[in-house]
Amino acid sequence: MDAQGRGRADDVDPADQWVLNPNTGEYELRLAPSTAQSSVPGPRGSGGRGTAGARRTAPARRPGATAPGDETPAPRRRTTAPADAAASRRGRRPAPKKAKGKKVLMWTGGSLAFVLLGASGAAYLYYEHLNGNITSVSDDGAGTGGFSKDRPINILLVGTDKRTGKGNEGYGDKDSAGHADTTLVLHVSKDRTNATVLSIPRDLITDIPDCPTTQEDGSEKVIPGTQRTRFNNSLGQEDRTPSCTMRTITELTGLKMDHFMVADFNAVKTLTSAVGGVDVCLAKDIKDKDSKLDLPKGEHTIEGEEALAFVRTRHSVGFGGDLSRIELQQQFLGSMLRKLKSNDTLTSPSKMIKLAEAGTKALTVDSQISTIKKLADLGAELGKFDTKNLTFATVPVVDNPAEKVKATVVLKEPQAQQLFAMVRDDVSLTDVKQQKKKEKAAEAARLKGTKAPASEVRVRILNGGAVAGSAQETLSWLQVQEGVTKSENAGNAEQPLAKTTLEYGPDEADQARRLAEIMGLSGAALKPGKSVTNSQGVPAMTLTLGKDFEGAGVPLTTPAKVPEDVQKATADKVECAK
């Protein structure tokens, strides 16, 4: 942030004016006696804030006193952190010293909101100014409408190769609207103990669905979908927005996104500089004329242009393709995460403010998280897992068999579907237990015990999001091949479900266990509840086929282990790029 024009000396960093008060656990503005107080920068185009004139000299303060408010005609500056919490603290006694640790946790969560493509940890400083930095775009109904604390979180993170910003003339395609050059899906478990990052290869051949897109004038335009094309065409091309990439991800993986964050080339440069550099390791010398990376073998701390060159290089690592570059980027992001969570970053007001400025300027987010408050709430959820339980995995692919000259890839089956199923069902890719022991024991117990004969199983079948005709297909299969003759098609469910469920009454547990065995249902799919009356007026269970249903006779039990040939790494380990 530039202090010029506000009565400040050019060599004074505003970040240095914020210090941690050990008595309250909050950051406060520290000004020397008889020093002119600067205005808080305001939102873009807001006027008033950040301008010269109409200032008074700040009076000298007693040690420990709170800085006075902004004395320009603009709204009064808050010297404590959260804008909406300042009023509630007036008149309170100073908080005990243990609040310091609590505050640091809040800062940690805020910084992790951008950890994979950037960071904005100082969510409570320069509140209105930072809000003005944020650029948001509608998700056009492609998302869930926003994350919730009582369920897993899925965030789409995209790095675009569009040429935006000064100094980026030599990157990307000259006349292109940009592509989804780097695409990551961040899945945070329901209990927040672990997280998975799926890397989607940009050259993956997939289908892009029709994309309803909000235009600048508020009208809606449906951008036609494209069959069998590169995944990276889901953004930028044909005027596609991030909501198109969200829809493409959902079609590909079955995961519906809560939010998206998009970054350009500047994000890597500014964020790595703000955090003081990111540590990386090379197993060999790299000199790539295309990315302009020139580093010898060994460990390095990189930032700015050099950091951008590192994440863009591919010809000098691995097999020289995009898949090798993905592994390099995963190493970089793991290192960035460790740096952001380090005490050197979290306890430095200077770094946190620089991160706030860089993060809010570098990212485009969906309109559901277009304020610092909402981003901080999201960051608090993302900051709960340990780095050792954050796993990076690349979607399994193979060379496109339809090509003589290999340029694209296709999904490797069944490994890709197994991996998608694990993430959809909230199964950790690390050894961490993502559910409480009691909950897992209860689920396992539902499958243990006597099983009723198939001929005694009474069940109503509803279609709750599966492919049309699935209920009738399942009914025929159960009656003809499995002997479940007391079954019936009950039509469509009132609400679609992501996962198939079987609800049953207290005296129907033996029937539920038999049907679970036949259908390949897990204990988590069994929902003890109540029975309903079927068309014969007899109590029956309710089987609701969710979006995860893949066909009659296809087991719905989620894999317990990651397929052996899936490339993965955890964020806590330092690995040298080869």
Side-chain angles (χ1 to χ4, degrees), residues 152-373:
I153 298 175
N154 294 313
I155 301 177
L156 170 65
L157 304 162
V158 181
T160 176
D161 58 1
K162 182 178 181 180
R163 288 186 177 184
T164 55
K166 184 178 180 181
N168 295 323
E169 296 81 3
Y171 302 121
D173 297 332
K174 181 178 179 181
D175 299 316
S176 173
H179 303 78
D181 193 50
T182 299
T183 303
L184 309 167
V185 174
L186 169 62
H187 171 87
V188 182
S189 66
K190 178 180 177 180
D191 65 4
R192 308 297 189 255
T193 63
N194 64 91
T196 299
V197 176
L198 291 181
S199 292
I200 313 293
R202 66 178 187 178
D203 295 325
L204 173 66
I205 295 298
T206 189
D207 296 337
I208 299 176
D210 292 346
C211 298
T213 307
T214 303
Q215 304 299 297
E216 291 185 3
D217 61 2
S219 63
E220 184 178 278
K221 173 185 176 182
V222 178
I223 301 174
T226 304
Q227 305 297 308
R228 308 298 296 167
T229 186
R230 276 183 167 89
F231 175 86
N232 68 349
N233 289 325
S234 65
L235 178 66
Q237 307 306 298
E238 309 297 330
D239 295 326
R240 294 188 178 103
T241 66
S243 65
C244 280
T245 308
M246 291 180 88
R247 296 183 194 278
T248 305
I249 288 289
T250 300
E251 289 288 325
L252 178 68
T253 67
L255 290 164
K256 192 159 187 178
M257 299 295 100
D258 295 302
H259 301 288
F260 65 74
M261 297 181 184
V262 181
D264 58 17
F265 292 128
N266 279 330
V268 176
K269 295 191 289 186
T270 59
L271 290 166
T272 52
S273 295
V275 81
V278 173
D279 300 327
V280 297
C281 181
L282 298 178
K284 63 179 181 180
D285 297 345
I286 290 184
K287 191 168 185 178
D288 187 343
K289 64 179 182 180
D290 292 322
S291 71
K292 301 179 178 59
L293 180 65
D294 187 358
L295 285 176
K297 173 183 176 180
E299 297 180 357
H300 305 274
T301 300
I302 58 176
E303 62 178 273
E305 291 285 350
E306 195 168 46
L308 179 59
F310 183 87
V311 297
R312 295 189 71 246
T313 192
R314 56 175 174 156
H315 298 303
S316 300
V317 292
F319 295 102
D322 188 51
L323 297 180
S324 298
R325 186 182 69 154
I326 285 176
E327 293 185 37
L328 201 71
Q329 291 172 343
Q330 290 174 348
Q331 179 206 138
F332 176 86
L333 294 171
S335 180
M336 181 98 174
L337 171 59
R338 293 192 297 273
K339 190 64 174 286
L340 286 167
K341 296 193 74 171
S342 69
N343 288 333
D344 288 345
T345 299
L346 295 174
T347 59
S348 169
S350 176
K351 287 184 179 179
M352 296 303 287
I353 291 176
K354 289 175 181 177
L355 280 169
E357 287 289 328
T360 52
K361 289 178 180 178
L363 297 174
T364 296
V365 301
D366 65 272
S367 54
Q368 302 290 340
I369 47 172
S370 59
T371 68
I372 292 298
K373 176 64 168 62

Side-chain angles (χ1 to χ4, degrees), residues 425-472:
D425 290 346
D426 208 23
V427 177
S428 173
L429 272 59
T430 62
D431 293 331
V432 66
K433 295 178 180 179
Q434 100 285 0
Q435 292 179 306
K436 296 180 180 179
K437 290 183 179 180
K438 291 183 179 179
E439 183 179 350
K440 293 192 71 174
E443 291 177 357
R446 294 169 196 162
L447 298 173
K448 296 179 180 179
T450 59
K451 300 180 179 68
S455 59
E456 295 182 7
V457 173
R458 296 184 301 276
V459 60
R460 300 167 65 251
I461 305 170
L462 295 172
N463 190 327
V467 174
S470 294
Q472 185 59 41

